Each structure stands twice: as structure tokens, then as C-alpha cells.
Amino acid sequence: MAESMSAVQHRIASTKSTRQITSAMQMVQTSKLNQIQKAAVGYQDYVSKVKAVVMHLAKSHLLDDSSSDSQSDQSGKTAYLVITSDRGMVGSYNSNVIRETNEFIAKHSGDKDHLILAVGGTGADFYKKRGENVAYEYRGVSDVPTFNEVRQIVKTVTSMYDSGVFSELYVCYNHFVNRIVSRFRGEKMLPVDSETLSGDEAQDTKTETLSATYDMEPSEKEVLKVVLPQYSESLVFGAILDAKTSEHASSSNAMKSASDNADDLIADLELRYNRARQAAITTEITEITGGQEALNN
């Protein structure tokens, strides 16, 4: 009985230590979530302005002409930029992204040849083990990424598209809805054409719209050369920022669940310990009483 009580005491102490760690990690992840949400709000304002200009150009059908010209020497392959985390302890975040991405690829590509561009070690390792064609991988995105940090990813992806490695790019990630809910998104990001923009416009109600009836200086084609690369870059970076926000929320929720489970386990172990101690005390009292009665007789 003494060894059993000692083992329960050890488990209680170990579980309390684990709860301290998970509680501290929850606080850290919540702090990171607050930071990245502030950064995301400011960035969305920029994206809204750039998208408004590009949508105006779409009304002039310049995007369709540009898209057809840029795809003349491309391979016809479809690439999927899959955004996951580099580490664990993020709940079901990675498994949800990978499962939904596989379904998305099966729906859009089927058995056709396609490419995987992996941002995050979890996704890269998963698709390598499956024998997928992982044409590019990037690990080590910071907790609150800046555009300068992600610029190399954006530059590599856009240069692969420009050089004809693939003709279409879909970005697959978990979109942050709130601190509890996130939803998978599979968005077409390249080429940027009227069809892509109309889908974005229906999905994003915050995008400003500009009238296509005014004159522009310089010409619309000159503006397109400058704005279109910025827009493509903003889409990729925005997806990474959104996915990272969802990752922090998922990690914070996972650590909270772990802390709550630890509290439940501690309560159960303390109850078992108290019952065992009471049983030991009762046994000792019974033995003493029995011995006293034997002496009296």
C-alpha cells in the first residue's frame, strides 16, 4: 500500500510539473497570437488597396491578355503551395491541413502530374515520405513573419512560375476565423486573371472597388507591370501570415486543453491518493483495535 501511495504521489508531482509547462506555453502562444493579429490587420489594408487597383485593370481585360501571353511557354503542371508548421504541439492543425490538401489535390489534379511547394517542415516531410515531387521547401518561418523574411519564398515561387515550371499555383492553408475556429482554404493565386479575381472578390467583402471609367497616367499596361507582381507577392505573403495566425491559435488551444486535462488528472490522482491513505489509516486502526481486544481477553 505504501509503494502504491508513493507512486501516486510521484504521478501527481509529475503532472503538476507538466501543467506548469503547458500553462506557460499557452501564455506564450497567446502573446504571439496577439502580435500577429495586429500585424495582419495593418497588412490587410495594404492588400485591399493593391487588389482594388488590380480589379480595375481586370475590368479593362488587360489581365486576361497578360495571362495568355505569360503561359505560352509553361509546362501545364499545377503546383500546390502547402503551408504547415515546423513543429508539433499545435493540436490537429497540421493533420487538418494535410488531409484537406490531399482531398483538394485529388479533386483538381487527380492522377495528373503536379508539384508540391512546401512551407513548413511537417508538410515537406510528409510529402517526401509519400514520394511526391517536392520541388521547393522552406523551413523556419518566424512566429511573426515580416515581408522581408518571406520575400525569398515569394521570389522563388514567382520565378518558378515565370520560368514555366508550372502554369497554375494553388495555395493550401488553414484560414484564421477566430481563436477557436479555422477553415481550410485552397486558393488559386497564379495566374492572376479575371476569373481568379472574381473568386477573390466574392470571398473577400472588404475589398475596395474602383470605377474603370477614369483616365490613368501612365497607361494601364505600365501600371500593370508594376502592380501585378506586387499583388502576386501580397497574396502569397498574406496566406503565410494567415496560416501562421491559425497555427498560433491552434497551439494556444492545444496547450489549454493539455492544461485542463492535467487538472482533471491531478484531481483524479489526489482522490485516489486520499482514498488509499484513508484505507491505510482504517487498516491501522482496525489492527490496533484488534490487538487491544486480544490483550483484554
Side-chain angles (χ1 to χ4, degrees):
M1 181 64 70
E3 290 182 359
S4 176
M5 290 175 61
S6 176
V8 173
Q9 279 185 311
H10 178 73
R11 289 187 63 188
I12 291 173
S14 176
T15 306
K16 285 183 177 180
S17 178
T18 301
R19 183 186 59 182
Q20 289 179 342
I21 295 173
T22 56
S23 297
M25 292 181 66
Q26 180 191 350
M27 293 176 61
V28 171
Q29 292 301 323
T30 301
S31 175
K32 291 177 180 178
L33 177 59
N34 292 334
Q35 293 178 41
I36 199 170
Q37 281 185 292
K38 292 179 181 177
V41 169
Y43 185 73
Q44 289 302 322
D45 292 337
Y46 164 76
V47 173
S48 178
K49 299 294 185 182
V50 176
K51 185 180 291 187
V53 176
V54 176
M55 289 179 65
H56 164 75
L57 298 174
K59 293 179 180 179
S60 301
H61 302 287
L62 291 175
L63 286 177
D64 297 331
D65 296 338
S66 175
S67 175
S68 60
D69 293 339
S70 63
Q71 295 185 48
S72 57
D73 297 326
Q74 291 182 337
S75 64
K77 292 182 180 179
T78 300
Y80 298 90
L81 178 65
V82 185
I83 305 174
T84 58
S85 70
D86 289 303
R87 56 183 177 81
M89 294 186 292
V90 290
S92 60
Y93 172 79
N94 288 317
S95 59
N96 287 342
V97 173
I98 291 174
R99 185 186 69 255
E100 295 282 359
T101 297
N102 290 340
E103 294 176 0
F104 187 81
I105 292 175
K107 178 181 178 181
H108 285 78
S109 292
D111 296 330
K112 295 180 180 178
D113 193 16
H114 58 271
L115 306 175
I116 298 294
L117 313 178
V119 176
T122 303
D125 293 338
F126 174 83
Y127 286 106
K128 282 182 177 179
K129 289 179 181 178
R130 289 190 63 186
E132 294 277 1
N133 184 6
V134 181
Y136 173 75
E137 65 176 283
Y138 185 92
R139 301 169 187 254
V141 176
S142 66
D143 293 323
V144 185
T146 63
F147 184 80
N148 287 333
E149 177 189 358
V150 183
R151 186 183 296 273
Q152 184 59 43
I153 303 175
V154 176
K155 182 179 180 181
T156 302
V157 170
T158 53
S159 64
M160 291 175 71
Y161 172 75
D162 292 337
S163 60
V165 176
F166 55 84
S167 58
E168 283 186 326
L169 173 66
Y170 288 89
V171 179
C172 302
Y173 64 100
N174 260 11
H175 164 63
F176 175 79
V177 178
N178 55 49
R179 298 194 176 208
I180 304 298
V181 179
S182 62
R183 295 192 181 96
F184 174 80
R185 274 190 179 179
E187 298 179 328
K188 182 179 179 181
M189 296 223 169
L190 291 173
V192 179
D193 50 28
S194 300
E195 180 182 355
T196 305
L197 282 172
S198 56
D200 290 341
E201 186 177 12
Q203 192 175 56
D204 186 1
T205 57
K206 296 182 180 179
T207 303
E208 298 181 14
T209 56
L210 300 177
S211 173
T213 59
Y214 57 83
D215 295 329
M216 299 181 65
E217 181 66 32
S219 67
E220 291 179 330
K221 288 186 178 181
E222 294 298 322
V223 173
L224 179 65
K225 291 180 182 179
V226 176
V227 175
L228 196 55
Q230 292 182 6
Y231 180 64
S232 300
E233 292 173 351
S234 70
L235 291 178
V236 177
F237 176 64
I240 293 175
L241 198 64
D242 193 2
K244 204 69 178 179
T245 306
S246 179
E247 177 189 333
H248 289 321
S250 180
S251 180
S252 177
N253 293 333
M255 293 303 100
K256 183 180 185 304
S257 296
S259 298
D260 293 342
N261 291 337
D263 287 334
D264 293 339
L265 180 57
I266 290 169
D268 180 65
L269 290 172
E270 288 178 340
L271 180 62
R272 289 170 55 185
Y273 175 78
N274 290 333
R275 285 177 176 174
R277 186 177 64 175
Q278 290 172 359
I281 293 172
T282 301
T283 301
E284 290 179 1
I285 293 174
T286 302
E287 291 175 352
I288 292 172
T289 303
Q292 186 177 5
E293 290 180 353
L295 291 174
N296 292 335
N297 294 330

